[in-house]
Amino acid sequence: MKIRAAETIFLSLEEDIATGLMQDGTRLDEPSLCARFNVSRTPVREALEQLVGSGLAKKIPKRGCFIQIPSFRQLVEMFEVMSELEGLCAKLAARRISESQLEALELANQRCKEAIDEKDSNRYYDENVTFHEQIYQACGNRFLADETRKLRRRLRVYRRLQLRVKGRMPQSFEEHSAIIETLRNGDAEQAVLLSSEHVRVQGERFNDLLSQI
């Protein structure tokens, strides 16, 4: 129960920060958060640790935990790096992916389609993570996969929210389908191009998201 409560608190605070409901430098007061979520301090503290780990908050000794929002420039730079990492994962996967991994990738994308049909952007995000995780595993480079996961976690809330932009989920699904085809054909060059562009579009869509919040 405590783990689930902490995750719920973390996701709620994460979205409040990303959408501007909570401002940079705001102190995250434990008693107030306990009252807001009707929980004890334990899940609140766990949630704050997750925020710190995601880079959205920082702890200052003897002062407390404070919101730390990346600047727009930092976000763009992170998306640029993410696009390169995703592209490299896809490049290696095009050379190394097995038939069973391709089947798992197609299944993950089918679940993305089901999320679109349900108009559930949160489910789509979860299925999208599974889709990309299949590519990380297929690339056969654990160090690269781990570094890509780390940055994905830093950008999680922004990648999740941009799926709410009108038309983005169907477009993302079509991009997934094209990526699968390049991997099936072993076309490493095209896999890099499509996978990198897939993430760069997400960065551009962030502007659209901001205008709709």
Side-chain angles (χ1 to χ4, degrees):
M1 290 296 293
K2 290 180 179 179
I3 294 176
R4 289 198 294 272
E7 184 69 14
T8 297
I9 295 166
F10 167 66
L11 290 173
S12 181
L13 293 175
E14 185 185 55
E15 181 159 340
D16 285 352
I17 292 169
T19 57
L21 293 178
M22 301 182 79
Q23 301 300 311
D24 189 46
T26 299
R27 185 173 184 273
L28 292 161
D29 179 65
E30 288 185 14
S32 297
L33 292 174
C34 290
R36 172 182 170 182
F37 294 101
N38 193 29
V39 296
S40 67
R41 289 203 177 199
T42 299
V44 167
R45 287 172 178 169
E46 292 175 3
L48 294 183
E49 288 294 333
Q50 290 185 64
L51 276 180
V52 171
S54 71
L56 291 175
K58 61 180 177 181
K59 279 191 172 180
I60 300 178
K62 299 181 180 180
R63 291 188 58 195
C65 189
F66 296 82
I67 292 172
Q68 179 176 256
I69 300 176
S71 67
F72 182 76
R73 178 174 180 176
Q74 287 173 319
L75 284 172
V76 169
E77 290 174 347
M78 283 191 284
F79 271 110
E80 286 179 346
V81 173
M82 189 73 195
S83 73
E84 295 300 320
L85 292 175
E86 290 276 359
L88 183 52
C89 285
K91 176 182 179 180
L92 295 178
R95 304 204 312 248
R96 300 171 178 174
I97 196 166
S98 66
E99 280 300 320
S100 63
Q101 288 172 327
L102 273 169
E103 290 175 5
L105 194 62
E106 289 176 336
L107 180 60
N109 202 34
Q110 179 56 41
R111 290 197 295 265
C112 286
K113 180 63 168 59
E114 292 170 3
I116 294 172
D117 293 340
E118 295 169 3
K119 297 182 172 58
D120 188 341
S121 64
N122 287 329
R123 182 189 171 189
Y124 187 96
Y125 175 79
D126 292 338
E127 304 297 356
N128 178 65
V129 167
T130 301
F131 176 90
H132 287 274
E133 187 63 34
Q134 294 296 332
I135 296 176
Y136 303 161
Q137 293 178 18
C139 83
N141 186 313
R142 292 182 181 178
F143 179 79
L144 173 61
D146 286 343
E147 292 303 305
T148 307
R149 290 187 189 102
K150 288 177 186 177
L151 187 51
R152 182 186 70 198
R153 285 192 289 269
R154 290 288 303 275
L155 290 169
R156 179 175 73 165
V157 65
Y158 301 103
R159 294 181 72 170
R160 183 160 58 89
L161 291 177
Q162 58 86 30
L163 291 170
R164 299 178 188 177
V165 175
K166 184 178 180 181
R168 178 54 191 154
M169 286 194 292
Q171 181 184 0
S172 175
F173 172 78
E174 293 301 328
E175 291 166 3
H176 284 178
S177 300
I179 290 169
I180 291 172
E181 192 63 24
T182 63
L183 297 182
R184 183 175 294 282
N185 294 334
D187 189 342
E189 183 176 343
Q190 190 69 1
V192 172
L193 179 64
L194 293 182
S195 294
S196 296
E197 188 62 24
H198 177 59
V199 177
R200 272 197 293 269
V201 166
Q202 291 179 336
E204 292 164 3
R205 288 277 176 169
F206 184 63
N207 270 330
D208 297 336
L209 173 65
L210 289 179
S211 70
Q212 295 183 26
I213 293 173

